[in-house]
Each structure stands twice: as structure tokens, then as C-alpha cells.
Amino acid sequence: MNIFDTIERFGRFLIYATERWGRSWIFLARSLVALARPPYRPYLYFTQLSQIGANSSIVIALIAVFTGAVLAVQGEYTLSKFGANAYTGPMVALSLIRELGPVLTALMVIGRAGSAVTAELGIMRITEQIDALRSMAVDPIKYLMAPRLLAGIIAMPLLCGLFNVIGILGGYIVAVGLLGLSAGTFMSQIEAAVDLVDITSGFIKAAVFGLIFGWVSCYKGYTCGFGAQGVNKATTQSVVTASVAVLIVDYFLTSVLTRVFMQ
Amino acid sequence: MISVRNLHKRFGSQVVLNGVNLEIEPGKTTAVVGPSGVGKSVLLKLIMGIMSPDEGEVIIGGYNMTAARSERSKNEIRNALGVLFQSAALFDSLSIYDNIAFSLRERMGLSASKAHTRVLSMADALSLTPYLRNFPEQVSIGIRKRVGMARALISEPKVLLVDEPNTGLDPLDGQEVYDLINACKNQWGFTGLVISHELPEVFQVSDRVAMILNGEIIVEGSPAELSNSSDPAVQQFLNGRTDGPIKIQ
């Protein structure tokens, strides 16, 4: 294989990847436009909000309580080396509100609901249910994708809020109940350290992660390949792509939001 | 009612349709037959406008489906269509009642009470009343096909498209689907296009039959004309022989 073959293959891959990337952006744009156009079918939005949001709340609460607890243990251990274990509360709260809340919530929702959304849409694709919708003059982007996208954008900040509250509660139980910190110190230091901008930036991140969740999981399901293997591949790709995208976007979003809110 | 003109479609280097022409008169039913993998279902998707041809056009009731650029303008043409899919393609998250009512609510925007009356009437006509509360996975494939037919016909389409009507059915259920198509045709009087590989069974619902092979329609005529065709490919297909011009893929 000579150098020209390699260049040709690379060029082909580049065209293929650019085309896929472009298609996914068109898909997102169509879904967002569909959100604005009537008919609105509110029952579809509430159903998705329930499936993606409410049904994820138990697992989010479980992860949050242990994340808060482990943060309290690690925080108290590290801060006590500097005689600053009174700041365990702010450490737990700021870590959760600014970073771990939005990111872990997004990763959990992607794992639980994102895979389900992709698999559901993928099965609808291979069993011709999406073709059936189109044949009945019902736009599948509007009927199937838009409600899931909006539900992701709304549910993620709500779940993130739940994660933060329960995470702080988990940290409180460990720090105050097991490690002997004063309850008043724990709470008053949190109150002093946490600003509205910390909470706002966390919620903005969560909403963006909700958009990524809805976009990737719907796109992968909608463009699913043939058969059980196609659904399998789409579901795996959906979870991996969305999780990696959340972590990458998190870095850039954190940089931008920190700069914006610090000014 | 339906005109298919010089339709070409290829996937990569594989030519699926190579200049297909077909005319279906109002009130008549045409069956498009041929072995598996010759592009019958692709033809159906091109007619429905859910796939775009490389060349050629599809006219339905005077409206050009292939020239319609936006999904909205295609939907206006699709309002004339009812489709019975190969596996019925029922929405598995909805009950049979909701599947039948779907296009009344979502396509036509009817109120629940108006939709209810029509669903009950359609369910009664197709003997589906006992199954209305069930979900698709709880009933047999034969019942699912009947539900698919009810869903396709409830909006009173001018054209009924049927893809492989008795795939996965035993001979009795298969015959029931053909009887159902004929009964519905007599009652609602639609123009029909049936895609099938089952000969001669499909003749009983067809006024015309077109056989497709290698991307082209090789023979078209009445069921009797097709049966008496001297074309070796038609005779091979009719008699189910493995030797002949049709190569098993």
C-alpha cells in the first residue's frame, strides 16, 4: 500500500466523518425547530419527563448520598492535615454543586435513560414504526425526538438539584454523625462559601448535558442500523459518545463559566 | 391515481430500480410481484416518499411526491395514503385501541369522542372489538395485521399500500388477510398497490399484476395474462423452480 492509498483512505474517512457530523447537527436543528412548531402534544412531554426524569430519581439519590459521604470522608482527611477540617462542609457542597452534581447526574441519566431511549427508537426504526409514523403524515422528529430532547433539558437540572441536596445530606451525615464535626459549623460554612453563581453555573452545565443526552441518544436511535446487532451497536455508541461528550464539554463549559462569573 | 415514471434507485454500486414505470388506475388494485431482494419494498418506500429516488417521479392523485421538497408538503400527499406494513408496524407502547385511533388524533386532529365512535365502528367492521384493550404483543400476528389494516383505513385513504400481506402467517391467516383486503376494498373502494412474492395467492386481490426483476418491470397485465405469459422468468417464478433465468441470491 503506497502513500497515495493511505491519503485516499484518510480522505474518505474524513468525508464520511464530516457527513455524519453534519447530519447530526441537522438532526439537532430540526428537533429544536420542531419544538417551536405546533401541534405541541404536551402529554408526550410529560410522559418523557416522567420516564427520563422521575424514573431516574431513585438511582440519582442513591449515587448522590454515597458521593456526598465519600467526599466528606476524603475532605475531612485532607483538610485536617492543614487544620482546616471546619471547611469540610464547603468542600463537599462546592464540589457537588459546581462539578460532581451535574457531571455524575448526566453520566447516570445517560447510562440509565439514554440507553433506553436509543434502544426504543432503534427498535422502532427496525420494526418500521418510524416509517409508519411518516406514512401517516406524522413527523417522527416532532413526535419522537422533540419531547425527549426537551425532557432531557428540563429533567437534567432538576435531577442535578436533587443530587446536590441529597449529596450534601450524605456529607452531613458522615461529617457530623461519624466524624464528629459540629453541625452548626458544617452548615454555616456552606452558607458562607456557596454563592448563587456556583448554583447557577451548575444548573447551566446540567441543562447543556441534558441537551447532549437528548441529542445523542435520539440521533443514535433514529439512525440505527439493521437488526438486533444494529440496536446493540447504536445503544453502545450512544452511551459512550454522550458520556465522552459530557466530559469534554464539561471542561470547556467550566472554563467559560468560571471566566464569565468571575468578571 | 398512481403514476410511477422512470424510477431509478441505487445503493452504492448496487442498482435496485432501473427505470420502473407503473400506472395504477383509480379504484383498481395492482400487485407488484417478484423474488425477494428485487426492490419491491424500495418501490413502496419511494411511493410513500420516505425514500428519494435518484431519478424519475411518483405522482399520487395528481401531486408529485418526488418534487415535494419539504416533509410538510410530502405529508399533504401522504394524507391520501394508508399503509399496511409487512409486520403491521404497530406502535408497541400503545394499546390496539390507541393504534387504531392514532391517525385520527395525530393526523386529523379529531376530538377523543369523535375518534372513539369511528374506532368502535372500524373495530366492529374488522372483528377487533374483543382486542381493543390489548397491546400488540398480546395478540397473534394475524390479529396484528387486522389492526394494521384498521389503522390504515380509519382515515379513509384514497390509496391503500400493502407490503407483503401474509408474511409470517399460516395459510389460513394468510387467506384471511386476502379476504380482508377484498372486503375492505368493496366497502371503502380504495386504489390498491400490493407488494408480494406469493403467487398465485395475490391474484385474488389484484386487477393487474406487474412482475419486477433486475430493477425493471418485465411483465405487466391481468392475473390471467401473467399466468399465461411465455416469459421464462415468470414461469420459473410461478412454478417455484430453482432452475431458470432467476438466480437465487
Side-chain angles (χ1 to χ4, degrees):
Chain A
M1 193 167 65
N2 63 34
I3 184 78
F4 294 109
D5 288 335
T6 313
I7 293 170
E8 189 184 333
R9 279 180 176 215
F10 181 68
R12 273 195 196 150
F13 169 75
L14 219 56
I15 291 168
Y16 171 77
T18 310
E19 194 181 306
R20 295 272 301 181
W21 178 245
R23 278 181 200 277
S24 71
W25 277 97
I26 291 169
F27 180 85
L28 176 64
R30 285 185 61 195
S31 302
L32 291 172
V33 169
L35 275 173
R37 274 206 328 254
Y40 296 109
R41 301 182 178 107
Y43 58 95
L44 292 177
Y45 293 88
F46 287 119
T47 305
Q48 290 308 319
L49 210 50
S50 162
Q51 287 183 359
I52 294 165
N55 291 356
S56 301
S57 54
I58 300 291
V59 71
I60 291 293
L62 193 68
I63 300 297
V65 75
F66 285 101
T67 304
V70 83
L71 273 175
V73 173
Q74 293 284 21
E76 200 273 341
Y77 171 77
T78 309
L79 292 170
S80 66
K81 292 193 173 207
F82 307 102
N85 53 353
Y87 295 106
T88 303
M91 209 221 79
V92 170
L94 284 173
S95 304
L96 286 171
I97 291 168
R98 289 183 60 88
E99 193 58 49
L100 291 176
V103 170
L104 289 182
T105 301
L107 294 178
M108 286 312 299
V109 173
I110 287 165
R112 199 203 72 82
S115 53
V117 165
T118 305
E120 185 184 8
L121 294 175
I123 288 168
M124 288 187 79
R125 160 68 67 197
I126 65 172
T127 56
E128 296 184 307
Q129 292 178 51
I130 290 179
D131 288 345
L133 277 174
R134 294 183 72 187
S135 77
M136 286 188 276
V138 175
D139 180 7
I141 299 274
K142 174 144 191 69
Y143 189 80
L144 297 172
M145 314 307 154
R148 287 163 173 80
L149 193 71
L150 188 68
I153 295 170
I154 294 172
M156 203 70 87
L158 294 175
L159 289 170
C160 176
L162 181 74
F163 191 102
N164 292 341
V165 170
I166 295 183
I168 291 170
L169 183 69
Y172 178 92
I173 291 168
V174 169
V176 176
L178 300 178
L179 302 176
L181 259 68
S182 146
T185 306
F186 188 90
M187 292 310 293
S188 64
Q189 290 295 347
I190 289 178
E191 204 179 324
V194 176
D195 289 327
L196 186 62
V197 292
D198 299 316
I199 298 168
T200 310
S201 71
F203 282 152
I204 290 172
K205 278 184 181 181
V208 173
F209 296 160
L211 176 78
I212 292 171
F213 152 82
W215 178 18
V216 174
S217 55
C218 287
Y219 179 71
K220 290 291 179 186
Y222 192 69
T223 56
C224 169
F226 294 108
Q229 203 175 16
V231 177
N232 177 359
K233 201 173 159 186
T235 309
T236 308
Q237 281 181 351
S238 163
V239 173
V240 172
T241 308
S243 302
V244 171
V246 159
L247 295 174
I248 293 171
V249 169
D250 181 47
Y251 167 74
F252 291 104
L253 211 51
T254 304
S255 304
V256 170
L257 288 173
T258 305
R259 192 161 289 214
V260 167
F261 285 126
M262 274 177 71
Q263 281 175 352
Chain B
M1 187 69 198
I2 300 178
S3 296
V4 174
R5 296 172 188 162
N6 193 32
L7 218 52
H8 288 74
K9 182 71 185 174
R10 62 163 63 211
F11 297 105
S13 59
Q14 190 193 357
V15 177
V16 180
L17 299 179
N18 190 21
V20 169
N21 290 287
L22 192 66
E23 290 288 332
I24 305 176
E25 290 173 28
K28 302 287 182 188
T29 298
T30 295
V32 173
V33 300
S36 301
V38 295
K40 303 188 296 294
S41 294
V42 170
L43 175 64
L44 198 71
K45 287 182 177 178
L46 291 170
I47 291 172
M48 281 190 267
I50 60 177
M51 205 179 259
S52 298
D54 299 326
E55 201 183 323
E57 55 186 16
V58 174
I59 314 283
I60 299 170
Y63 297 97
N64 192 331
M65 179 67 94
T66 37
R69 285 282 154 246
S70 70
E71 206 56 22
R72 192 176 288 186
S73 45
K74 282 183 182 174
N75 281 346
E76 282 174 20
I77 305 172
R78 287 183 190 131
N79 280 330
L81 303 179
V83 185
L84 176 58
F85 285 86
Q86 192 168 347
S87 58
L90 301 181
F91 304 123
D92 42 26
S93 58
L94 301 180
S95 69
I96 283 171
Y97 178 95
D98 290 329
N99 264 284
I100 298 172
F102 189 86
S103 74
L104 296 179
R105 290 176 185 157
E106 305 297 340
R107 182 199 282 193
M108 301 166 72
L110 289 193
S111 66
S113 60
K114 280 184 183 167
H116 182 69
T117 313
R118 284 177 66 169
V119 171
L120 292 188
S121 158
M122 178 59 78
D124 185 47
L126 299 191
S127 309
L128 287 168
T129 308
Y131 308 103
L132 288 176
R133 285 171 181 271
N134 291 108
F135 280 81
E137 78 272 10
Q138 295 171 319
V139 297
S140 70
I141 178 72
I143 303 292
R144 269 181 261 166
K145 290 263 185 180
R146 251 194 279 166
V147 178
M149 182 69 97
R151 188 179 67 178
L153 292 175
I154 196 150
S155 54
E156 297 175 0
K158 293 185 179 116
V159 176
L160 180 72
L161 307 175
V162 183
D163 190 11
E164 304 284 5
N166 52 9
T167 297
L169 299 179
D170 62 50
L172 292 178
D173 278 340
Q175 184 56 46
E176 194 183 57
V177 172
Y178 286 126
D179 292 344
L180 186 65
I181 293 172
N182 274 330
C184 292
K185 194 177 157 187
N186 290 337
Q187 190 167 347
W188 285 285
F190 46 76
T191 303
L193 173 65
V194 181
I195 300 289
S196 178
H197 59 262
E198 302 225 331
L199 291 181
E201 291 87 343
V202 75
F203 288 168
Q204 59 190 296
V205 294
S206 315
D207 299 301
R208 307 272 298 168
V209 185
M211 182 164 164
I212 190 167
L213 191 66
N214 300 326
E216 293 170 17
I217 289 184
I218 57 166
V219 181
E220 190 186 349
S222 67
E225 285 168 339
L226 198 92
S227 300
N228 298 325
S229 169
S230 57
D231 190 300
V234 176
Q235 286 307 318
Q236 181 194 353
F237 191 58
L238 267 170
N239 297 317
R241 296 195 318 262
T242 53
D243 60 313
I246 304 173
K247 302 294 173 214
I248 309 292
Q249 292 172 350

